[in-house]
Amino acid sequence: MTNLYRFGQFVLDPGRRTLSRDDSPISLTPRAFDVLLFLVQNPNRLVTKEELLQAVWGDTFVEEGNLTQYISHLRRGLGDNPEDPRLIVTIARKGYQFTAEVSRPHARPALETPADELAPKARKHWQRAAVLAASPVILAAVAYTSWRQFRDAKPPASTKVMLAVLPFENLTGDPNKEYLADGLTEETISQLGRLNPEQLGVIARTSVMGYKHKDARLNQIGRDLSVQYVLENSLRENGNQLRLTAQLIQVKDQTHLWAKDYDYVAKDILRVEDDVAKSVAQEIRLRLTPQKQAELAQPHPVNPEAFEAYLQGYHFFQRNTDKDADMATKYFERATQLDPSYALAWAWLTRARNWQANEGLIPIEEGRRLAREAVERALSLNPNLAKAHIEMGRLKQQIDFDWAGADASFQRAISLEPGNPEGVRMGAWSAAMFGRFDEAVQLGRRAVDLDPLDEESWWSLGQIERLNGQLDQAAADGKKGLELEPDSAGVHILLSQIYLMQGRPQDALPEIERIHYASYRACLYALAYHAFGREKDSDAALSELMKYHASSASEIAAVYAFRNQLDEAFEWLDRAYAQHDLNLNWTKVDPLLKNLHNDPRFAAFLKKLNLPN
């Protein structure tokens, strides 16, 4: 008796190698049949691509793109809607899940593979990991080839295409290679984001890294990030050799548009970089500005060891702790020592040095001097490096109180790299600080589009809307950030401020209780209790805030201003100025200070801050 697999209206007969629906035969190629049989034999679990390739093709080398084509063929045969799959679901970067209920036979038949499809194909040789790490131009080739697919497949030019570069999957078997996978993810995002930002938007690292090591359905990723395309990437290793594989997938129908392996021989790396850079410049010249054309017309080789040190530094810096910032600094320094012309490494060394100085890990004057020297070096090496302009703007704000100079730096960064969410956010804050709220809100929303799963993007947009008096919208956007990070102190501070401005101190109190920064909590309690008319409680909270006077002078000034104690408010504003308090950049637009606006001392203080009245 033949063992049959039944699911829904379908019957799969392994013996006769047939698939039918309501007794009507469905035509499948032999290999597509084998793929379906294995999926049906393993229902309702993740079947990895490697598992499928091994089961169906054995040791015969097959590109992953071929597997994707067979999956598309099966979906068509089964009538499975790729936009809302009911049978074969794509699990991004991992594989597939057959979700139908299957009536199984008692015995599991072995896969039958026609002999004429078993002819072995020669495997390509793999190159060493250091070679791949040393070649950003290879990633430019990935970016350009991807763009050509978008150019051919995307909607009309008036519609902006959105792409998510999923985290590189580390298939090397070595967890110590995670820094390489993460660094290449960021590099690929940057390369693609610079190609043509008006027509191609690329989701930022923060949002896509949430899918690292997670089995997420491709259509769900499309909905989460509002993207039409996904670029999957992986790293594989054999001995001391490594391969990068990139695959471009259209989300709406989960069709595979393009795939390529990148293999380079160490001795040919400089020639390959030159050749790839020249061909990229030639192919996309008409689609880039003259400045971009000029940049790509010249090769920019990077010392392999310097690039690896840079990736290590980036990896540690993203871990966001003081200890890791120290490690990041050491790696960024090593990158600049190995390749003194490496502008990006100098820019990131600026960021790391500034962190150390602000956190007291090194003497503040020394740290700021080193940070400024590094960013000036970066800009002298590459005046068109957006990251260097971002860091210069940061230093102008924090050290010089040169708000106009900082604003110019952020505007320059945005013009150079409009798809960089960090630069867009900094530009949004700067515009808000000067009262250019239409521009600030527009930039804030662009940052959300580029980084939709980052709580900070929503908090930043909400704060700008609060400063602009858009309180209901600010609360709604802040709550979206809270959905992503329920313990976000920034969002709880934002909501507390909104409720106080709306005259709802009873709603502010539960938000204040969830803030884990003692100084901010004391400040907001002082404000809320004053709004209730509970002046003794407000005074007690203010006394608690006074414990942090060395770093919270601007918050103390805000409490006095809110309570209409103007002399004390101006006294503490002057103290904040002497302390170089960075929160003073909001003096002109902070609603908590509105009671000071009609006092002539306020205009004088703005002038001292170099802020226009």
Side-chain angles (χ1 to χ4, degrees):
M1 178 178 178
T2 303
N3 292 320
L4 304 178
Y5 291 86
R6 302 178 185 275
F7 51 96
Q9 299 170 296
F10 297 94
V11 176
L12 188 68
D13 187 336
R16 296 181 179 179
R17 296 183 61 79
T18 61
L19 173 69
S20 61
R21 178 176 184 173
D22 295 331
D23 296 327
S24 297
I26 297 173
S27 177
L28 295 178
T29 66
R31 196 65 81 198
F33 183 91
D34 292 337
V35 171
L36 178 60
L37 177 58
F38 191 79
L39 290 172
V40 169
Q41 290 173 338
N42 295 272
N44 296 307
R45 76 170 180 86
L46 169 63
V47 176
T48 67
K49 296 175 183 178
E50 291 75 16
E51 190 178 359
L52 256 177
L53 289 169
Q54 179 63 37
V56 177
W57 281 272
D59 292 331
T60 304
F61 174 73
V62 177
E63 299 282 357
E64 287 186 12
N66 291 344
L67 174 59
T68 313
Q69 297 289 359
Y70 283 118
I71 293 294
S72 297
H73 174 54
L74 286 174
R75 285 196 175 113
R76 288 193 297 271
L78 295 169
D80 200 19
N81 181 3
E83 297 186 31
D84 186 21
R86 304 293 182 182
L87 298 176
I88 303 177
V89 175
T90 300
I91 307 298
R93 298 179 300 120
K94 301 291 186 180
Y96 305 94
Q97 184 175 355
F98 192 76
T99 57
E101 291 298 323
V102 178
S103 298
R104 302 189 184 193
H106 297 294
R108 175 173 170 170
L111 284 174
E112 299 179 25
T113 305
D116 60 350
E117 293 193 19
L118 290 178
K121 298 179 182 179
R123 293 180 179 269
K124 300 176 182 178
H125 293 291
W126 294 356
Q127 86 289 0
R128 289 182 294 182
V131 174
L132 179 62
S135 184
V137 180
I138 295 175
L139 294 177
V142 177
Y144 169 60
T145 311
S146 303
W147 171 247
R148 294 192 66 180
Q149 305 301 319
F150 291 128
R151 181 189 65 189
D152 297 335
K154 73 178 186 66
S158 60
T159 303
K160 187 171 183 177
V161 172
M162 296 300 295
L163 163 73
V165 179
L166 295 186
F168 272 69
E169 190 172 7
N170 178 15
L171 301 178
T172 65
D174 181 0
N176 292 325
K177 289 287 189 344
E178 287 297 321
Y179 80 92
L180 180 59
D182 293 348
L184 292 176
T185 302
E186 174 63 21
E187 287 295 303
T188 305
I189 290 171
S190 297
Q191 293 279 11
L192 281 162
R194 289 192 293 265
L195 278 180
N196 191 328
E198 295 301 317
Q199 295 182 2
L200 175 63
V202 183
I203 299 298
R205 174 189 184 278
T206 310
S207 289
V208 298
M209 290 305 287
Y211 297 105
K212 187 177 177 69
H213 303 315
K214 289 186 178 178
D215 299 334
R217 295 186 176 190
L218 195 64
N219 54 347
Q220 183 62 50
I221 293 174
R223 288 193 293 268
D224 289 346
L225 302 177
S226 298
V227 296
Q228 293 85 43
Y229 299 93
V230 164
L231 188 67
E232 294 186 347
N233 306 279
S234 64
L235 297 174
R236 287 179 173 80
E237 188 174 43
N238 184 11
N240 66 344
Q241 298 174 317
L242 195 75
R243 163 178 288 177
L244 181 158
T245 299
Q247 297 188 83
L248 183 64
I249 301 172
Q250 186 169 256
V251 173
K252 69 175 182 178
D253 55 8
Q254 302 188 20
T255 56
H256 173 276
L257 300 179
W258 159 80
K260 189 170 183 179
D261 295 320
Y262 289 86
D263 301 304
Y264 290 87
V265 181
K267 64 183 178 64
D268 292 334
I269 189 62
L270 293 179
R271 180 183 61 80
V272 170
E273 285 192 346
D274 290 344
D275 291 346
V276 172
K278 291 174 183 176
S279 64
V280 169
Q282 180 179 358
E283 290 292 333
I284 62 177
R285 183 174 292 119
L286 295 177
R287 297 186 177 274
L288 297 177
T289 64
Q291 180 178 332
K292 290 289 186 183
Q293 295 172 25
E295 290 175 6
L296 286 176
Q298 298 178 353
H300 300 283
V302 176
N303 178 294
E305 293 180 355
F307 187 63
E308 184 167 355
Y310 161 74
L311 291 181
Q312 289 273 22
Y314 181 85
H315 172 74
F316 279 104
F317 192 86
Q318 296 302 321
R319 292 165 68 165
N320 207 33
T321 71
D322 289 350
K323 181 179 179 181
D324 290 318
D326 285 339
M327 288 296 297
T329 303
K330 292 177 182 177
Y331 277 111
F332 290 140
E333 279 188 323
R334 176 164 173 75
T336 61
Q337 291 165 356
L338 290 166
D339 186 353
S341 66
Y342 198 175
L344 186 60
W346 283 107
W348 274 98
L349 180 58
T350 301
R351 185 77 177 95
R353 283 298 191 195
N354 197 31
W355 175 308
Q356 290 180 313
N358 290 336
E359 294 297 315
L361 305 177
I362 58 176
I364 189 167
E365 293 302 324
E366 176 189 1
R368 287 176 169 175
R369 175 181 60 80
L370 292 172
R372 192 181 295 275
E373 290 174 355
V375 75
E376 288 174 350
R377 182 69 174 273
L379 286 170
S380 68
L381 291 166
N382 185 356
N384 295 321
L385 182 61
K387 178 62 177 175
H389 286 284
I390 292 171
E391 296 310 322
M392 178 59 85
R394 207 187 302 269
L395 294 184
K396 286 179 178 178
Q397 277 189 343
Q398 296 179 0
I399 301 174
D400 305 331
F401 276 12
D402 179 8
W403 317 112
D407 188 59
S409 291
F410 297 138
Q411 294 301 317
R412 177 64 174 150
I414 292 172
S415 69
L416 289 167
E417 201 169 330
N420 183 329
E422 181 186 24
V424 172
R425 270 197 300 265
M426 296 298 287
W429 280 106
S430 185
M433 188 180 71
F434 282 97
R436 305 195 310 264
F437 282 110
D438 288 346
E439 176 188 344
V441 171
Q442 181 183 21
L443 289 172
R445 293 211 169 275
R446 186 197 299 181
V448 165
D449 289 341
L450 291 168
D451 214 352
L453 299 188
D454 181 21
E455 159 267 330
E456 184 178 350
S457 295
W458 291 101
W459 163 80
S460 178
L461 175 60
Q463 277 290 11
I464 290 170
E465 291 166 335
R466 179 187 74 87
L467 294 172
N468 194 32
Q470 300 171 265
L471 300 185
D472 290 339
Q473 187 62 52
D477 288 334
K479 289 175 182 177
K480 291 177 183 176
L482 216 55
E483 292 174 6
L484 298 169
E485 180 49 67
D487 294 327
S488 170
V491 176
H492 290 301
I493 291 171
L494 168 64
L495 293 175
S496 302
Q497 294 168 328
I498 291 171
Y499 296 148
L500 288 172
M501 291 172 64
Q502 291 177 327
R504 299 162 54 191
Q506 71 279 5
D507 294 323
L509 289 178
E511 300 295 336
I512 298 172
E513 291 171 3
R514 300 190 64 178
I515 298 169
H516 54 265
Y517 293 113
S519 60
Y520 280 104
R521 192 168 60 246
C523 173
L524 288 163
Y525 271 134
L527 298 172
Y529 289 140
H530 173 73
F532 272 118
R534 295 163 53 180
E535 297 305 332
K536 288 185 178 180
D537 290 330
S538 180
D539 287 342
L542 180 58
S543 295
E544 180 68 20
L545 178 59
M546 288 290 184
K547 297 178 182 179
Y548 308 97
H549 64 87
S551 59
S552 300
S554 61
E555 286 87 353
I556 296 171
V559 172
Y560 279 123
F562 191 72
R563 302 192 332 180
N564 212 27
Q565 295 172 270
L566 304 192
D567 292 341
E568 292 87 345
F570 282 110
E571 175 189 345
W572 280 95
L573 282 177
D574 286 333
R575 291 194 187 189
Y577 181 84
Q579 294 172 2
H580 220 79
D581 191 324
L582 296 180
N583 286 328
L584 289 177
N585 57 355
W586 303 114
T587 301
K588 178 181 177 179
V589 295
D590 188 351
L592 295 177
L593 302 179
K594 67 178 181 179
N595 288 336
L596 307 181
H597 288 186
N598 294 327
D599 193 301
R601 289 174 289 183
F602 188 70
F605 189 72
L606 291 181
K607 185 176 180 180
K608 184 164 69 171
L609 279 177
N610 296 318
L611 284 171
N613 191 357

mmCIF file of all heavy atoms in Angstrom, residues 82 153-155 218 228-230 248-257:
data_model
loop_
_atom_site.group_PDB
_atom_site.id
_atom_site.type_symbol
_atom_site.label_atom_id
_atom_site.label_comp_id
_atom_site.label_asym_id
_atom_site.label_seq_id
_atom_site.Cartn_x
_atom_site.Cartn_y
_atom_site.Cartn_z
ATOM 1 N N PRO A 82 2.412 34.402 -1.439
ATOM 2 C CA PRO A 82 3.655 34.754 -0.758
ATOM 3 C C PRO A 82 3.528 35.964 0.151
ATOM 4 O O PRO A 82 4.322 36.140 1.061
ATOM 5 C CB PRO A 82 4.631 35.024 -1.918
ATOM 6 C CG PRO A 82 3.759 35.345 -3.083
ATOM 7 C CD PRO A 82 2.513 34.548 -2.895
ATOM 8 N N ALA A 153 13.598 46.492 -10.678
ATOM 9 C CA ALA A 153 12.387 45.885 -10.124
ATOM 10 C C ALA A 153 11.531 46.838 -9.321
ATOM 11 O O ALA A 153 10.400 46.533 -9.035
ATOM 12 C CB ALA A 153 12.769 44.693 -9.228
ATOM 13 N N LYS A 154 12.053 48.005 -8.957
ATOM 14 C CA LYS A 154 11.327 48.865 -8.031
ATOM 15 C C LYS A 154 10.170 49.588 -8.705
ATOM 16 O O LYS A 154 10.068 49.629 -9.923
ATOM 17 C CB LYS A 154 12.290 49.880 -7.411
ATOM 18 C CG LYS A 154 12.718 50.978 -8.376
ATOM 19 C CD LYS A 154 13.632 51.952 -7.677
ATOM 20 C CE LYS A 154 13.955 53.148 -8.573
ATOM 21 N NZ LYS A 154 12.795 53.955 -8.853
ATOM 22 N N PRO A 155 9.296 50.216 -7.903
ATOM 23 C CA PRO A 155 8.186 50.996 -8.445
ATOM 24 C C PRO A 155 8.711 52.229 -9.170
ATOM 25 O O PRO A 155 9.908 52.469 -9.224
ATOM 26 C CB PRO A 155 7.391 51.377 -7.182
ATOM 27 C CG PRO A 155 7.814 50.393 -6.154
ATOM 28 C CD PRO A 155 9.231 50.061 -6.471
ATOM 29 N N LEU A 218 9.636 36.523 7.008
ATOM 30 C CA LEU A 218 10.016 37.603 6.106
ATOM 31 C C LEU A 218 8.896 38.621 5.953
ATOM 32 O O LEU A 218 9.134 39.835 5.948
ATOM 33 C CB LEU A 218 10.400 37.031 4.739
ATOM 34 C CG LEU A 218 11.147 37.974 3.803
ATOM 35 C CD1 LEU A 218 12.494 38.349 4.367
ATOM 36 C CD2 LEU A 218 11.310 37.323 2.435
ATOM 37 N N GLN A 228 10.243 47.084 1.217
ATOM 38 C CA GLN A 228 9.839 46.267 0.080
ATOM 39 C C GLN A 228 10.862 45.174 -0.236
ATOM 40 O O GLN A 228 10.549 44.192 -0.876
ATOM 41 C CB GLN A 228 9.663 47.142 -1.170
ATOM 42 C CG GLN A 228 8.499 48.112 -1.094
ATOM 43 C CD GLN A 228 8.884 49.398 -0.385
ATOM 44 O OE1 GLN A 228 9.944 49.954 -0.610
ATOM 45 N NE2 GLN A 228 8.015 49.863 0.490
ATOM 46 N N TYR A 229 12.102 45.373 0.227
ATOM 47 C CA TYR A 229 13.172 44.437 -0.091
ATOM 48 C C TYR A 229 13.999 44.139 1.149
ATOM 49 O O TYR A 229 14.133 44.967 2.049
ATOM 50 C CB TYR A 229 14.097 45.000 -1.182
ATOM 51 C CG TYR A 229 13.394 45.263 -2.479
ATOM 52 C CD1 TYR A 229 12.865 46.523 -2.759
ATOM 53 C CD2 TYR A 229 13.237 44.257 -3.426
ATOM 54 C CE1 TYR A 229 12.198 46.768 -3.943
ATOM 55 C CE2 TYR A 229 12.572 44.501 -4.621
ATOM 56 C CZ TYR A 229 12.055 45.758 -4.871
ATOM 57 O OH TYR A 229 11.400 45.988 -6.043
ATOM 58 N N VAL A 230 14.557 42.933 1.159
ATOM 59 C CA VAL A 230 15.438 42.495 2.245
ATOM 60 C C VAL A 230 16.703 41.925 1.625
ATOM 61 O O VAL A 230 16.636 41.165 0.639
ATOM 62 C CB VAL A 230 14.743 41.430 3.125
ATOM 63 C CG1 VAL A 230 15.755 40.699 3.991
ATOM 64 C CG2 VAL A 230 13.678 42.083 4.006
ATOM 65 N N LEU A 248 19.209 39.029 -2.381
ATOM 66 C CA LEU A 248 18.198 40.070 -2.393
ATOM 67 C C LEU A 248 16.822 39.442 -2.610
ATOM 68 O O LEU A 248 16.627 38.687 -3.562
ATOM 69 C CB LEU A 248 18.489 41.071 -3.509
ATOM 70 C CG LEU A 248 17.547 42.264 -3.604
ATOM 71 C CD1 LEU A 248 17.646 43.135 -2.362
ATOM 72 C CD2 LEU A 248 17.856 43.079 -4.851
ATOM 73 N N ILE A 249 15.870 39.759 -1.718
ATOM 74 C CA ILE A 249 14.537 39.162 -1.760
ATOM 75 C C ILE A 249 13.494 40.264 -1.763
ATOM 76 O O ILE A 249 13.589 41.228 -1.005
ATOM 77 C CB ILE A 249 14.314 38.238 -0.548
ATOM 78 C CG1 ILE A 249 15.369 37.124 -0.528
ATOM 79 C CG2 ILE A 249 12.916 37.633 -0.572
ATOM 80 C CD1 ILE A 249 15.341 36.287 0.718
ATOM 81 N N GLN A 250 12.504 40.115 -2.624
ATOM 82 C CA GLN A 250 11.363 41.023 -2.655
ATOM 83 C C GLN A 250 10.327 40.533 -1.654
ATOM 84 O O GLN A 250 9.877 39.388 -1.725
ATOM 85 C CB GLN A 250 10.769 41.071 -4.062
ATOM 86 C CG GLN A 250 9.667 42.091 -4.226
ATOM 87 C CD GLN A 250 9.284 42.290 -5.673
ATOM 88 O OE1 GLN A 250 9.635 43.281 -6.298
ATOM 89 N NE2 GLN A 250 8.558 41.323 -6.226
ATOM 90 N N VAL A 251 9.940 41.392 -0.735
ATOM 91 C CA VAL A 251 9.104 40.968 0.385
ATOM 92 C C VAL A 251 7.707 40.577 -0.064
ATOM 93 O O VAL A 251 7.148 39.583 0.405
ATOM 94 C CB VAL A 251 9.043 42.088 1.456
ATOM 95 C CG1 VAL A 251 8.035 41.724 2.544
ATOM 96 C CG2 VAL A 251 10.415 42.310 2.065
ATOM 97 N N LYS A 252 7.092 41.333 -0.980
ATOM 98 C CA LYS A 252 5.672 41.153 -1.251
ATOM 99 C C LYS A 252 5.340 39.754 -1.760
ATOM 100 O O LYS A 252 4.283 39.213 -1.456
ATOM 101 C CB LYS A 252 5.184 42.201 -2.242
ATOM 102 C CG LYS A 252 5.692 42.061 -3.651
ATOM 103 C CD LYS A 252 5.037 43.085 -4.566
ATOM 104 C CE LYS A 252 5.505 42.910 -6.006
ATOM 105 N NZ LYS A 252 4.840 43.872 -6.908
ATOM 106 N N ASP A 253 6.252 39.159 -2.555
ATOM 107 C CA ASP A 253 5.990 37.805 -3.030
ATOM 108 C C ASP A 253 7.085 36.826 -2.635
ATOM 109 O O ASP A 253 7.072 35.671 -3.054
ATOM 110 C CB ASP A 253 5.799 37.790 -4.546
ATOM 111 C CG ASP A 253 6.978 38.416 -5.285
ATOM 112 O OD1 ASP A 253 7.996 38.724 -4.632
ATOM 113 O OD2 ASP A 253 6.874 38.596 -6.501
ATOM 114 N N GLN A 254 8.047 37.308 -1.819
ATOM 115 C CA GLN A 254 9.148 36.493 -1.303
ATOM 116 C C GLN A 254 9.947 35.846 -2.433
ATOM 117 O O GLN A 254 10.481 34.740 -2.281
ATOM 118 C CB GLN A 254 8.636 35.457 -0.306
ATOM 119 C CG GLN A 254 7.914 36.097 0.869
ATOM 120 C CD GLN A 254 7.562 35.131 1.981
ATOM 121 O OE1 GLN A 254 8.142 34.070 2.094
ATOM 122 N NE2 GLN A 254 6.608 35.504 2.806
ATOM 123 N N THR A 255 10.010 36.544 -3.552
ATOM 124 C CA THR A 255 10.792 36.013 -4.669
ATOM 125 C C THR A 255 12.244 36.426 -4.539
ATOM 126 O O THR A 255 12.565 37.515 -4.073
ATOM 127 C CB THR A 255 10.242 36.522 -6.017
ATOM 128 O OG1 THR A 255 10.222 37.956 -5.998
ATOM 129 C CG2 THR A 255 8.865 35.982 -6.276
ATOM 130 N N HIS A 256 13.090 35.525 -4.974
ATOM 131 C CA HIS A 256 14.524 35.740 -4.939
ATOM 132 C C HIS A 256 14.932 36.477 -6.212
ATOM 133 O O HIS A 256 14.703 36.002 -7.320
ATOM 134 C CB HIS A 256 15.212 34.376 -4.840
ATOM 135 C CG HIS A 256 16.685 34.430 -4.970
ATOM 136 N ND1 HIS A 256 17.323 34.454 -6.184
ATOM 137 C CD2 HIS A 256 17.651 34.448 -4.028
ATOM 138 C CE1 HIS A 256 18.628 34.476 -5.982
ATOM 139 N NE2 HIS A 256 18.844 34.479 -4.688
ATOM 140 N N LEU A 257 15.508 37.682 -6.064
ATOM 141 C CA LEU A 257 15.861 38.488 -7.227
ATOM 142 C C LEU A 257 17.309 38.304 -7.658
ATOM 143 O O LEU A 257 17.611 38.389 -8.845
ATOM 144 C CB LEU A 257 15.612 39.975 -6.928
ATOM 145 C CG LEU A 257 14.181 40.366 -6.574
ATOM 146 C CD1 LEU A 257 14.110 41.858 -6.281
ATOM 147 C CD2 LEU A 257 13.228 39.992 -7.692
#
